[in-house]
Amino acid sequence: RTTVLGGAAGVALAGVGGALLVPWSGTPSGQPRPPSSVSTNPHPTASPTARAVTSDEMISTLEKLLPKGKFSMAQGRGVDASEPLVAPYAQVVYDDGHGASAISVSVNRVLPGGYDARQAVRCPDKVFTPYDSCTTSHLPDASVVTVVKGYEYPDRRVDTKLWTANLVTPDGHHVSVSEWNAAAEKDAPVSRDEPPLSAAQLKVLAAAQDWRGVVDAIPEDPRQTQEPPMAQEDGKAIRQTLASLVPKGLKVVAHGSDDDSQFTYVVVDDGKGRSLVQINVQPDMSDVAGQLFGAGSETLADGTRVAERKQPGEKGGAGVVMWTVDTMRTDGFRVVVSAFNSGSQQTAATRTAPALTIKQLRAIALSAKWRQ
């Protein structure tokens, strides 16, 4: 998805256990909407006469909207008509007298009621993104804003805090604000106990009308409002199929999906500790077969390629190991499944080995059910 910030820090929006439907239905602004109604109407296109927005204007707007303080290390990007998919942003180091803090804002366009709009205001899944709190509010104009108080590093190896506010309006304006308790998102010492803006101040900053004018100035590009190639119902089907293939004796105690609906996970427990099991189902992957299936892989009688790996976890959890079976059919249809000896990659191991053996993972990945 091309809604990442260009030079500024991105916000972790991935993963959620239960979906939050953005509550707009095209009714007049300011009227309450039932949370079950989701508009699929496209937002108005940008006016051909919309004025340009420079990087300096982005920076000055951010500084104007922040409380009194000192600013340094400013950087930004304005609206570039030649690159409508590159999000305008501004970032400054802000000091209110109690320690320096990096603060950034990015704006972009999303399809009202669409996948990106819903993702932007969901609370992250704690299996992937640990955080202290997440609150979602509905504003009088029917915009939705979600404030997350979390951390820059999911494994907490450095105690840099990252607090974010993401706002989506009924017209498809997406505003993302981030702040840290350090002068940079990474590789800077913690300079204060907490970021300077409260949750309420983050909401006000994200909801400022100034940012909506910037979004309106972005030339519309169809790719900005395209839906993912797989619908959410496909993601649900993948999760249900995975759960149905879990061996007997293992209880599914949690489940969810990342921001890509082709990816899902379950957490299982056999009474000896939780074990994360994640799967990715991807069509048309033949072009990377050479990278995925090298020395040590095998080819079955029907042409399916299989690779098995045992390696350390990837997200920093102490003692976590990752067992993987990767498969690809002759037409490029890939199913890769991994199991861990913890309920989350970010937390320490809860058992010596994953709850599923390599043989069991292999049976899941090679199941004929995925073709259904």
Side-chain angles (χ1 to χ4, degrees):
R1 308 298 296 164
T2 50
T3 54
V4 295
L5 310 191
V11 179
L13 302 176
V16 72
L20 168 68
L21 299 183
V22 179
W24 48 75
S25 59
T27 53
S29 217
Q31 298 299 315
R33 272 79 164 175
S36 60
S37 63
V38 180
S39 170
T40 56
N41 295 326
H43 60 79
T45 58
S47 167
T49 59
R51 69 179 185 86
V53 179
T54 67
S55 58
D56 287 342
E57 287 177 301
M58 288 292 296
I59 294 168
S60 63
T61 299
L62 176 58
E63 293 180 351
K64 176 191 71 174
L65 294 172
L66 290 173
K68 185 178 180 180
K70 295 181 179 179
F71 301 100
S72 61
M73 304 294 290
Q75 56 181 299
R77 177 184 290 111
V79 175
D80 188 340
S82 66
E83 294 185 293
L85 296 182
V86 179
Y89 80 93
Q91 179 167 311
V92 298
V93 174
Y94 166 74
D95 195 334
D96 58 359
H98 300 285
S101 166
I103 299 179
S104 71
V105 61
S106 174
V107 302
N108 65 293
R109 191 192 310 280
V110 292
L111 179 68
Y115 179 81
D116 285 338
R118 296 191 299 269
Q119 282 294 103
V121 293
R122 287 173 171 172
C123 289
D125 190 329
K126 283 194 171 183
V127 167
F128 304 105
T129 310
Y131 56 87
D132 293 331
S133 67
C134 178
T135 57
T136 298
S137 306
H138 298 225
L139 304 185
D141 67 352
S143 296
V144 179
V145 59
T146 296
V147 177
V148 179
K149 292 185 176 181
Y151 299 86
E152 177 62 34
Y153 300 95
D155 60 3
R156 303 284 298 277
R157 63 183 181 272
V158 178
D159 200 31
T160 304
K161 294 182 179 179
L162 166 60
W163 292 2
T164 63
N166 276 275
L167 175 137
V168 176
T169 74
D171 292 326
H173 305 91
H174 176 206
V175 181
S176 180
V177 178
S178 302
E179 61 170 343
W180 293 262
N181 61 334
E185 58 170 318
K186 297 180 186 295
D187 302 323
V190 170
S191 53
R192 50 192 298 144
D193 291 338
E194 294 184 341
L197 304 181
S198 66
Q201 289 174 309
L202 278 175
K203 285 172 58 176
V204 170
L205 178 56
Q209 292 293 324
D210 306 66
W211 306 126
R212 306 185 192 191
V214 177
V215 178
D216 289 337
I218 300 173
E220 181 141 12
D221 187 300
R223 290 170 292 175
Q224 292 171 312
T225 51
Q226 283 178 342
E227 290 293 80
M230 293 184 71
Q232 285 188 314
E233 286 303 311
D234 293 319
K236 181 179 179 181
I238 291 172
R239 186 173 68 247
Q240 291 174 337
T241 301
L242 175 59
S244 74
L245 293 171
V246 169
K248 292 182 179 180
L250 296 177
K251 181 180 180 181
V252 176
V253 295
H255 59 77
S257 300
D258 204 350
D259 59 345
D260 184 343
S261 61
Q262 296 166 299
F263 171 85
T264 190
Y265 76 89
V266 295
V267 177
V268 299
D269 197 333
D270 58 0
K272 300 177 182 179
R274 292 192 168 202
S275 181
L276 171 66
V277 182
Q278 63 185 35
I279 195 162
N280 216 322
V281 180
Q282 302 169 309
D284 305 320
M285 296 293 287
S286 297
D287 57 332
V288 294
Q291 303 171 39
L292 299 172
F293 302 94
S297 63
E298 61 179 304
T299 302
L300 305 183
D302 65 356
T304 298
R305 304 178 74 172
V306 182
E308 300 175 356
R309 295 185 293 274
K310 291 185 177 181
Q311 62 194 70
E314 301 173 323
K315 305 298 183 182
V320 173
V321 296
M322 176 182 181
W323 293 2
T324 300
V325 174
D326 201 344
T327 66
M328 186 177 294
R329 277 62 167 180
T330 54
D331 63 353
F333 182 75
R334 182 190 184 206
V335 179
V336 53
V337 58
S338 299
F340 304 82
N341 58 336
S342 175
S344 168
Q345 288 200 65
Q346 285 82 17
T347 56
T350 56
R351 48 192 300 140
T352 57
L356 283 81
T357 65
I358 286 287
K359 182 178 180 180
Q360 290 171 323
L361 293 173
R362 184 183 177 109
I364 290 174
L366 292 173
S367 170
K369 286 187 176 182
W370 299 116
R371 285 297 198 185
Q372 301 170 14

